[in-house]
């Protein structure tokens, strides 16, 4: 199996077939991916990486690897001495080329407000956000409101699963010297150059923010799925929300 980041600076080959995909919605994976991070676990020696990921020590026991060129969330690796059964590494499922031939094994972490459907709330009136390392912060008027899940190949390679964003936003103030931008034909992808957190997407004057960047509660609700014609093959969309094959 092969995979790569959004810009192609980092690519990889898996020399074994993983058991399946774990979707993680923990607070760290939400901030890092902008929504949820999906991964497959393989033995370290079964992973061949081309290009150099940037590593961020995200906790006492693990580090996260991302592409410094585009910010794609690619690898999660334990750094403790406890490696009974051999060293393993988690690899982004969204970065895998299709077909992957695998399916979801389990989901971890509690879903945030924006990952669920329901009536749109009027609160909170102010939103703050930050990346995983805290290098990039943001504030804007709330609530986040309608959140769309985008299943396009760019969002999948960038986030590791699919994106969940809201906008275009007004009165957004983003600050931090580690804010980076990756330009593509469709627009500019914003990410943190230190931790690799996905922050948002801009096209012209308009910006959409990744809901995972916002401190909860976001006041966001999932309202639709777009570009489902390009979704990954390892998951199914079963929440009953409207789906658009493209936009
Ligand atoms: Zn890249
Ligand atoms: Zn950061
Ligand atoms: Zn997309």
């Amino acid at each position: 199996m092969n995979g790569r980041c959004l810009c192609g600076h980092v690519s990889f080959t898996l020399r074994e077939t993983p058991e399946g995909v774990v979707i993680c919605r923990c607070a760290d994976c939400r901030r890092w991916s902008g929504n949820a991070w999906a991964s497959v676990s393989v033995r370290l020696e079964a992973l061949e990486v081309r290009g150099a990921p940037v590593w961020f020590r995200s906790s006492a026991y693990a580090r996260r690897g991302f592409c410094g060129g585009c910010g794609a969330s690619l690898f999660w690796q334990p750094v403790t001495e406890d490696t009974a059964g051999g060293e393993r590494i988690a690899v982004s499922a969204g970065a895998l080329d299709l077909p992957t031939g695998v399916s979801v094994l389990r989901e971890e972490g509690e879903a945030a407000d924006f990952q669920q459907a329901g009536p749109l709330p009027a609160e909170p009136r102010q939103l703050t956000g930050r990346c995983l390392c805290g290098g990039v912060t943001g504030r804007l008027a709330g609530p986040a409101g309608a959140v769309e899940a985008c299943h396009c190949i760019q969002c999948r390679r960038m986030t590791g699963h699919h994106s969940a964003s809201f906008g275009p936003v007004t009165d957004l103030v983003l600050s931090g010297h580690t804010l980076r931008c990756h330009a593509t034909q469709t627009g500019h992808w914003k990410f943190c150059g230190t931790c690799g957190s996905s922050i948002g997407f801009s096209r012209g004057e308009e910006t959409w923010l990744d809901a995972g960047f916002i401190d909860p509660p976001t006041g966001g609700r999932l309202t639709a799925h777009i570009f489902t014609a390009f979704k990954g093959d390892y998951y199914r969309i079963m929440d009953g929300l409207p789906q658009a094959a493209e936009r």
Side-chain angles (χ1 to χ4, degrees):
M1 293 167 92
N2 295 304
R4 66 170 177 86
C5 68
L6 177 56
C7 75
H9 278 143
V10 181
S11 62
F12 58 85
T13 299
L14 306 185
R15 303 258 178 238
E16 68 183 24
T17 303
E19 194 187 350
V21 176
V22 175
I23 299 172
C24 186
R25 295 189 172 86
C26 79
D28 282 4
C29 280
R30 280 206 308 267
R31 286 203 195 272
W32 195 46
S33 66
N35 176 30
W37 196 61
S39 65
V40 296
S41 173
V42 293
R43 287 176 302 120
L44 193 54
E45 59 263 35
L47 171 68
E48 180 192 310
V49 179
R50 294 168 297 277
V54 178
W55 290 97
F56 171 67
R57 184 71 177 262
S58 55
S59 70
Y61 53 88
R63 63 178 190 162
R64 292 168 188 261
F66 63 97
C67 173
C70 66
S73 307
L74 296 173
F75 307 113
W76 182 94
Q77 185 180 22
V79 291
T80 58
E81 300 300 309
D82 177 23
T83 53
E87 282 191 78
R88 301 189 69 83
I89 186 166
V91 178
S92 162
L96 291 170
D97 296 340
L98 299 181
T100 68
V102 291
S103 52
V104 175
L105 285 177
R106 63 178 186 278
E107 305 194 15
E108 295 180 349
E110 203 173 317
D113 55 358
F114 67 84
Q115 292 166 332
Q116 305 170 60
L120 292 178
E123 298 288 335
R125 309 298 297 175
Q126 277 293 320
L127 300 177
T128 54
R130 66 170 177 87
C131 65
L132 196 50
C133 76
V136 180
T137 58
R139 59 187 162 80
L140 71 162
V147 171
E148 284 187 332
C150 182
H151 301 261
C152 80
I153 190 154
Q154 292 190 315
C155 284
R156 294 195 301 100
R157 289 204 198 272
M158 183 73 179
T159 66
H161 186 38
H162 61 72
S163 68
S165 63
F166 63 98
V169 294
T170 52
D171 79 349
L172 169 68
V173 180
L174 271 184
S175 37
H177 296 301
T178 62
L179 183 62
R180 299 284 179 275
C181 216
H182 170 59
T184 68
Q185 285 184 335
T186 46
H188 290 79
W189 303 76
K190 297 178 193 298
F191 65 99
C192 172
T194 297
C195 68
S197 289
S198 184
I199 293 166
F201 175 80
S202 294
R203 188 189 298 124
E205 296 295 302
E206 297 185 317
T207 296
W208 288 260
L209 269 186
D210 288 309
F213 175 71
I214 301 298
D215 300 321
T218 68
R221 292 290 186 273
L222 192 60
T223 56
H225 296 271
I226 61 173
F227 287 99
T228 56
F230 305 91
K231 71 179 269 300
D233 58 358
Y234 61 88
Y235 61 93
R236 289 189 290 164
I237 303 170
M238 296 184 295
D239 54 19
L241 291 172
Q243 297 185 24
E246 295 199 353
R247 170 78 240 189

